[in-house]
Amino acid sequence: MYQVLFEGEVIGNTRLEGGDPPMGAAFGTFIPASPFAAFRRTATPEKDSDPGTVRWLGLSISTADGQPVDCHGGVVLFEYDLGDEIEYEVDAIGIDAAEYERLFPDHVRDYENQFR
């Protein structure tokens, strides 16, 4: 499990269950923690080209034990308004190859297996 932080405060968690190893990207469902309600009220999201989507930038990711994950492309939290429900996804972009392989060996293995 990974922690999603805004200005050093954990606002939620994610398993980063999906990934694109060549792009150094990992993504997954965002699970809000109690501070997320205050974050949502006070942090200004960016509008997306889709009116049902908003996104927040300026976030960071850390491992469950608090070690920061360096994401050169940033961390983005998406909110999708699906009408009858709201879904959240977090994307961590630009993770160096060696770090990516250490953190997400299953993503790397799955990617490599598709070419066998």
Side-chain angles (χ1 to χ4, degrees):
M1 188 71 73
Y2 294 86
Q3 300 174 331
V4 180
L5 300 95
F6 179 69
E7 296 180 347
E9 180 176 30
V10 176
I11 60 168
N13 298 285
T14 181
R15 286 184 168 63
L16 295 175
E17 61 271 14
D20 184 342
M23 298 297 292
F27 47 86
T29 301
F30 174 76
I31 304 158
S34 56
F36 180 68
F39 164 82
R40 196 176 182 294
R41 281 191 311 275
T42 59
T44 304
E46 291 195 0
K47 295 293 182 187
D48 195 271
S49 58
D50 177 351
T53 303
V54 294
R55 61 184 172 192
W56 289 273
L57 306 175
L59 305 170
S60 60
I61 297 278
S62 71
T63 61
D65 63 355
Q67 295 300 309
V69 176
D70 195 5
C71 303
H72 300 286
V75 176
V76 183
L77 174 60
F78 294 92
E79 176 184 275
Y80 303 108
D81 184 345
L82 304 176
D84 58 342
E85 66 180 303
I86 302 289
E87 288 187 4
Y88 296 97
E89 178 182 302
V90 64
D91 294 3
I93 306 161
I95 303 168
D96 288 333
E99 182 75 349
Y100 194 97
E101 191 166 342
R102 184 181 73 77
L103 293 170
F104 307 107
D106 293 343
H107 296 344
V108 174
R109 183 199 66 238
D110 292 346
Y111 176 78
E112 290 171 350
N113 284 343
Q114 72 182 343
F115 299 107
R116 291 185 179 162

